[in-house]
Amino acid sequence: MVMTGSLLMEKIVSLAKRRGFIFPGSEIYGGLAGIYDYGPLGVELRHNIKQHFWNRFIAERDDVYGMSAAILMPARVWEASGHTESFADPLVECRVCHGRFRADQPTDISAHEEWHKHKKEKAEWTQPTIFNLLVQTQLGAKEKLENIQQSTVYLRGEITQGVQVNFKNILDSMHPKLPFGIGQIGKAFRNEIAPRDFLFRQREFEQMELQYYIRPDEAEGKKQFEYWKQFAFDWYQSLGIQKDHLRLRQHAEDERAHYAKDAWDIEYNSPMGWKEAWGIHHRGDWDLRRHQEYSGVSMEYTDSDTGGKMLPWDIECSGGVDRAVLFTLLDAYREDELNKEVRSYLALAPKIASVKAMVSPLLKNKPKLVEKAHEVHAALKKVHSAIAWDDNGNIGKRYRRQDEIGTPFCITIDFDTLGETSELKDTVTLRHRDTGEQERLTIPEAAERIRLAIQ
Ligand code: ATP
């Protein structure tokens, strides 16, 4: 059974904590709104999603470079990028309960009004105040002791600017030819007015991005934009998300960010409705032109054939890592009945799953079984490091524990494996998570089955 609605969100939040995926940040001190910590299984899941992005958008392509810029950047960067001025949301406060909301999120506003209505009250709103989302901090002690001052720097509000300010360094060190891309993955920070919906709207989160630079030409811009829109959509589906749970939506003109010539979102059909998972933005030459102006350093690309100079245009693919983690978990959650028992499982794509397989001896008090199972465990660890071991409780319970965290395969070593009946010697049982079906395979066959599934 596929579950929808807020009950599904509650189940995922609870499963994530109980099974070591995601915890509220600094929980023992009461936590911070919009901040989460990743546990052992969550960090693997997140790593697998990032690795899949890195492989498809960067490593496998000859026209894309990877990089990793610093989180702290001087204020001037954000003046140039337009964020000091325009990276802001309209904030309204409810005069009755002092709850703060984004005025541009009608669903949140009407849900709050409904909530007051239930209590036989009427929500009353202040006028919207424009609230800047950049997070500031202080750095260094630059001045003499008697006049000590620190300089204000910003934690990056988007990872894009780390690439834009290095554009010239990439030109000078790698000598790329247009079109080419620069990709990176990293943390971004936003002082969100109303962090909510678990990992969906956080104040510290991770982004995975590609800036793809092209010749400044309308036809080329349209062609590349279409290409990357489809590429990003296909990639999102390849996380294992059901096709009809994803859609592409174009931004209306008044919805676009200050830099965008055209913008589309990949949206996911979440318990909160259709929500942005990923943005594809035509940034034109906005960033390079502004950094050229504010830094005084030329950002021009020189055509090696003609010697002509130009400021390239940038087509951006920008996805939230944590939103991908959340949507992958929501989409994978299932409840069904197996062997007359109700169970829940995560139908995660094997390449994304935190644990790829679990190895287990049928009985834990039979030394020969345990020894053989350790041998199989060690052999499978050569295929992938995320192969778990479990000899706790009965075999049914072990399977259920793995189903709940989305482990695609369970491998059991029994007396047949030890060769007590000759034709089954050195074979194991491989159980499939989604169907509960089991098959008898040789150890190399089981290893190959796992290797192929996680590619
Ligand atoms: P939203 O409209 O939801 O605030 P945005 O349009 O401001 O998002 P972008 O600036 O385009 O988002 O950022 C690119 C991606 O980064 C988004 O598609 C999303 O996946 C992710 N992202 C943005 N803000 C957050 C956040 N507060 N928490 C988690 N992920 C976020």
Side-chain angles (χ1 to χ4, degrees), residues 91-93 95 125-129:
L91 178 156
V92 285
E93 188 173 297
R95 290 189 205 277
W125 300 105
T126 59
Q127 284 300 314
T129 308

Side-chain angles (χ1 to χ4, degrees), residues 48-96:
N48 294 340
I49 291 175
K50 290 196 286 187
Q51 191 63 51
H52 184 46
F53 167 85
W54 195 267
N55 289 345
R56 294 290 178 277
F57 279 82
I58 302 169
E60 289 169 9
R61 297 189 63 107
D62 294 329
D63 56 348
V64 179
Y65 302 92
M67 68 161 289
S68 175
I71 285 170
L72 296 172
M73 302 178 91
R76 195 80 178 136
V77 170
W78 303 102
E79 286 161 24
S81 68
H83 283 76
T84 322
E85 204 180 318
S86 317
F87 194 49
D89 286 333
L91 178 156
V92 285
E93 188 173 297
C94 171
R95 290 189 205 277
V96 182

Side-chain angles (χ1 to χ4, degrees), residues 379-436:
L380 295 181
K381 276 256 184 196
K382 294 199 177 113
V383 178
H384 198 282
S385 53
I387 307 288
W389 169 270
D390 191 358
D391 56 12
N392 251 326
N394 70 43
I395 199 80
K397 285 215 175 92
R398 294 180 211 163
Y399 288 161
R400 225 83 75 234
R401 278 200 291 273
Q402 296 301 323
D403 290 346
E404 201 185 27
I405 61 168
T407 306
F409 305 109
C410 287
I411 285 144
T412 305
I413 283 72
D414 56 21
F415 293 106
D416 289 338
T417 317
L418 299 179
E420 291 180 8
T421 57
S422 57
E423 80 274 18
L424 293 179
K425 184 172 161 49
D426 277 334
T427 63
V428 295
T429 305
L430 182 134
R431 174 186 177 272
H432 295 261
R433 172 195 64 203
D434 297 359
T435 57

